[in-house]
């Protein structure tokens, strides 16, 4: 019974990782544009 529990937990972790990875992949362009906007702001106004 303990072995089944380990396999179920492993499967849930894999599924959660796939969902998170898919979500991040969909927002990749938004993250890139946000990073470029921050970079431009730092370059224009300096630190």
């Amino acid at each position: 019974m303990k072995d089944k529990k380990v396999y179920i937990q492993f499967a849930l972790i894999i599924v959660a990782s796939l969902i998170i990875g898919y979500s991040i992949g969909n927002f990749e362009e938004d993250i890139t544009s946000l990073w470029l906007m921050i970079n431009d702001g730092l370059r224009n106004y300096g630190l």
Side-chain angles (χ1 to χ4, degrees), residues 1-21:
M1 185 69 183
K2 188 174 181 180
D3 290 337
K4 269 189 175 178
K5 187 175 179 181
V6 171
Y7 287 124
I8 291 172
Q9 287 177 345
F10 178 73
L12 290 175
I13 290 171
I14 294 297
V15 170
S17 298
L18 288 172
I19 292 170
I20 292 169

Side-chain angles (χ1 to χ4, degrees), residues 19-46:
I19 292 170
I20 292 169
Y22 182 74
S23 298
I24 290 173
N26 283 340
F27 296 114
E28 183 178 1
E29 292 178 9
D30 296 334
I31 292 171
T32 302
S33 64
L34 177 64
W35 173 251
L36 290 173
M37 185 177 66
I38 292 171
N39 193 18
D40 288 341
L42 289 174
R43 190 175 346 148
N44 290 336
Y45 300 111

